[in-house]
Amino acid sequence: MTRRDVEFDAEGTTLRGWFYRAEGATGRAPTIVLAHGFSAVKEMYLDRYAEHFAAAGLNALVFDNRNFGASDGEPRQEIDPVAQVRDYRHAITYATTLDEVDATRIGVWGSSYSGGHVLVVGAIDRRVKAVVSQVPMVSGSKNIGELVRADFRAGFREMFDADRAARYVGDPPAMVPVVAEDPLAPSALPTPDSWTWFTETGKLRAPSWRNEVTLRTVEMLGEYEPEAYIARISPTPLLMVVAREDHLTPAHLAIDAYERAREPKALEILPGGHFDAYVDDFDLAGTVARDWFVRHLT
């Protein structure tokens, strides 16, 4: 397979990534658009998924989210989920301009935070003909309710309000770690497996990853409700891949949301935890996603 660096305009912000050419393709081929989850950059195993898809005759367009990695955007390290949804749509538009891409056969893949994004994109953008949502964050408010102790939430609200006032007078945004070794210390993703995966994967594969996001990122997470769109994805085929031992985006929340989706749909349960989808359970996660796209796009 061949991979080339690409960049495209997202209404004034340049996003950068990789385009993988489908193996054996001589003309226009189906294409999968992929972006990563909360604060992660494309080097954190998205190449494995793209290679897996390309080997099956599917093009893959992988890009870094705005404000992260190789992509432009300010403020750095800020995640606006609505902007990231729009950027998936910009990426689809860019893909359809490429000679190798069949614009009538576009799929979207997302994982964790972007697993929620593709639920929204699949519901509102009919250019999408197949959706794979892996270990998705389906409800910001419910997810925070699972991860953050009730007696800590008032303190976060005070921090959000103080940050809003400071930004108003021109101060830089307050920052918070993505992960912390102590799960009770302030961080955006307060689980032990989050600390292990991000720190180890950052050292191993992604030196551009930074262990910080803006405080407002956490506020916007709590406002984001992808599950509100899930019944609107139909008749676009939806595959949801859930990890049985997921404590970061709890499996029961994803399965509850899946039950509200309409046909055609399918559910795959991975045996491990949230981050096993990228490593120990990759063979299963990557294969079921690949097969879903092959079935519905080829």
Side-chain angles (χ1 to χ4, degrees):
M1 73 193 68
T2 60
R3 183 181 96 179
R4 67 177 185 266
D5 293 339
V6 295
E7 63 179 45
F8 56 94
D9 177 64
E11 294 183 336
T13 298
T14 299
L15 305 184
R16 298 183 178 88
W18 303 315
F19 181 80
Y20 289 76
R21 178 58 165 150
E23 283 191 15
T26 56
R28 296 180 182 271
T31 301
I32 314 305
V33 176
L34 308 86
H36 223 316
F38 193 96
S39 88
V41 293
K42 63 186 183 300
E43 290 82 4
M44 295 169 123
Y45 296 106
L46 289 198
D47 51 340
R48 296 183 71 183
Y49 288 90
E51 290 167 2
H52 205 55
F53 298 155
L58 305 162
N59 297 322
L61 174 62
V62 180
F63 67 97
D64 273 331
N65 289 303
R66 66 173 57 222
N67 309 337
F68 289 85
S71 290
D72 291 348
E74 297 289 340
R76 299 304 291 175
Q77 304 300 117
E78 179 156 285
I79 305 171
D80 180 339
V82 175
Q84 290 189 349
V85 165
R86 291 194 183 113
D87 288 341
Y88 260 96
R89 305 183 76 184
H90 295 314
I92 292 168
T93 300
Y94 167 69
T96 64
T97 70
L98 301 177
D99 292 339
E100 302 98 328
V101 172
D102 182 344
T104 68
R105 294 186 290 169
I106 300 290
V108 291
W109 178 99
S111 187
S112 195
Y113 211 28
S114 66
H117 298 347
V118 296
L119 299 177
V120 182
V121 175
I124 64 179
D125 197 323
R126 290 303 167 194
R127 296 176 297 176
V128 174
K129 299 303 190 294
V131 177
V132 174
S133 173
Q134 177 177 283
V135 293
M137 199 292 296
V138 298
S139 167
S141 60
K142 292 176 184 176
N143 222 105
I144 287 177
E146 295 269 349
L147 293 180
V148 181
R149 279 175 32 180
D151 55 330
F152 285 6
R153 290 177 212 155
F156 266 111
R157 174 54 54 194
E158 292 174 0
M159 294 167 63
F160 295 153
D161 293 344
D163 179 54
R164 197 171 285 277
R167 285 186 183 222
Y168 182 76
V169 298
D171 290 345
M175 308 299 289
V176 64
V178 177
V179 293
E181 189 168 12
D182 178 0
L184 294 180
S187 70
L189 305 178
T191 67
D193 60 339
S194 298
W195 164 260
T196 300
W197 187 83
F198 274 101
T199 56
E200 292 184 355
T201 306
K203 292 176 183 176
L204 177 67
R205 298 177 61 96
S208 68
W209 178 77
R210 290 164 51 187
N211 186 19
E212 62 177 1
V213 290
T214 65
L215 182 61
R216 184 165 63 174
T217 289
V218 181
E219 184 176 31
M220 287 188 283
L221 185 156
E223 301 164 353
Y224 185 43
E225 301 293 335
E227 67 177 0
Y229 290 83
I230 199 164
R232 295 167 52 188
I233 296 172
S234 177
T236 304
L238 166 67
L239 171 65
M240 185 178 286
V241 181
V242 176
R244 182 184 303 274
E245 304 302 325
D246 195 336
H247 307 300
L248 181 61
T249 57
H252 71 92
L253 296 181
I255 294 169
D256 286 348
Y258 174 81
E259 291 300 318
R260 295 193 292 277
R262 299 163 66 188
E263 298 290 348
K265 64 179 181 177
L267 177 67
E268 182 73 31
I269 307 293
L270 305 178
H274 186 86
F275 296 101
D276 290 323
Y278 306 109
V279 188
D280 292 348
D281 293 338
F282 169 77
D283 287 344
L284 177 56
T287 297
V288 296
R290 176 202 67 194
D291 292 350
W292 188 255
F293 288 131
V294 168
R295 173 183 173 188
H296 292 288
L297 299 179
T298 68

